[in-house]
Amino acid sequence: MPRVVSLFLPNWSTDRLRRKLGDVSPPPDKPLVTVGRQGNRRLVTAVDRAAIEAGLRVGMLATKAQALVQGLAVMDAEPDADAEALERLALWALRRYAPIAAVDTPDGLVMETTGADHLHGGEQLMLADMVERLGQVGFSARSAIADSWGAAHAVARYVRQTVSVVAVNATCDAILPLPIAALRLPDAIVSGLRVLGFDRVGELLKQPRGPLTLRFGPELGRRLDQAAGRLAEPIEPVRPADVVEVKRAFGEPIGAAETIARYIGKLVQALCVELETKGLGARRLDLLFYRVDNSIQAIRVGTALPVRDVKRLTRLLCDKIEKIDPGFGIELMRLSAPMAEPLTPKQTISSLIEQPDADISDLIDILGNRVGEEKLYRFTPVASDVPERSFRRVAPASAETGQAWPDHWPRPARLFAVPEPIEAIALLPDHPPASFTWRGIRRRVKRADGPERVFGEWWKRDAELAAVRDYFQVEDEAGERFWIYRAGDGEDAATGSHRWFLHGIFG
């Protein structure tokens, strides 16, 4: 079952202009509209959120909009620049999220993410990541995923949620309560249906198709079938001008898994030759299957490091063959590397004098394409004395940062994300606890070492100017070792609450 994502940018034109203008753009709370000419009239072509709240709408006269809102920011519409920027955004989505991505004019993108969402932690996390990344650069967005382009398009635009995930085989239930304008029908058909008393998609689906077709033509039935997933709607993906790709057309359609695997090997070999010519290695591969029924299926694999090893890439792609439904046959296969990075030859290690470095990138690739790249990570040190800030997650094959954890005091094997409060009996200000109670169990301290004083990072927050923690390594009578601390120096109340916390457990 294909899964289609619709990314809706409700304020695309105005957001793009604000980002383009930078510091000279109007404040976010000041309404902004764009205007264009229709004959001799100047009409509003786009409005931002502040303008909508002020009562402005697309299609009204520019003079009327200026009269209604004092201090309204008015700019000339740039439809060509909007379209060009939207295509660049589609290329970004193609490289990052899905092997099939296209522009959904005039204010959105459409992507088929079947077989690619697992690389981003699942559908919910993938959609949330899209919206968050666009928000970070100044674009408001809503996203939805469903079994059809029509349903995803409708939900993204008419359901007031930032992220909407329509369950598999629940498309009809999701579109029933939506207004008929969600079906991407011409305005004349929408107006005619409203005259007849139709307001929701569910009302149309209950009606006999014949009378509606006689009155409004085949377009209404086609849009209903596309939204419900009964009629295929192929997406023609954007293609980067500089992408490295190879393709293979077949005189007779193919469908057997063994045949597909054989031609995958041939395509990968041809692609690696092209990559070697350009000194590149693939970081992401997209394999598109064009079926005889004019639909496209795709698989995507990623690698932790640039790769152009034929056997390795072929194995990664062949592991995904089971996700492909050839239907009545595949007539074209297209393999591309939307993400490629420089890969220079390396000197071969001599086994007589050197030991080869352990390379686990192949294992990382296999696991990453099975469980998702977002679920694989490692920890790397960060220059900070505060324990919970002294590390961060990075990709498993990331280069070393050069940082190291402090070695003058050992750190626990297990560090709690949030320190847990404990009750402790200790002689202030510098003595370790004689006993402490954690999770209802009282533990008597047999050995202890400390204190190790950790100061707050005053350059980050004023509240940490005087804050300190005194850490102790303690061992109870059962031989279990814990890492506990007191908030404060034991004397001055301004340095902390003087409460005790358990922050980690030694292995």
Side-chain angles (χ1 to χ4, degrees), residues 104-125:
D104 191 3
T105 55
D107 52 11
L109 303 179
V110 59
M111 293 166 269
E112 185 174 324
T113 59
T114 311
D117 59 277
H118 71 283
L119 297 175
H120 305 279
E123 294 178 343
Q124 184 79 28
L125 292 177

Side-chain angles (χ1 to χ4, degrees), residues 15-25 78 81:
D15 285 349
R16 188 190 65 79
L17 284 173
R18 286 186 185 274
R19 189 167 185 267
K20 173 185 174 182
L21 294 173
D23 295 337
V24 300
S25 71
E78 301 177 350

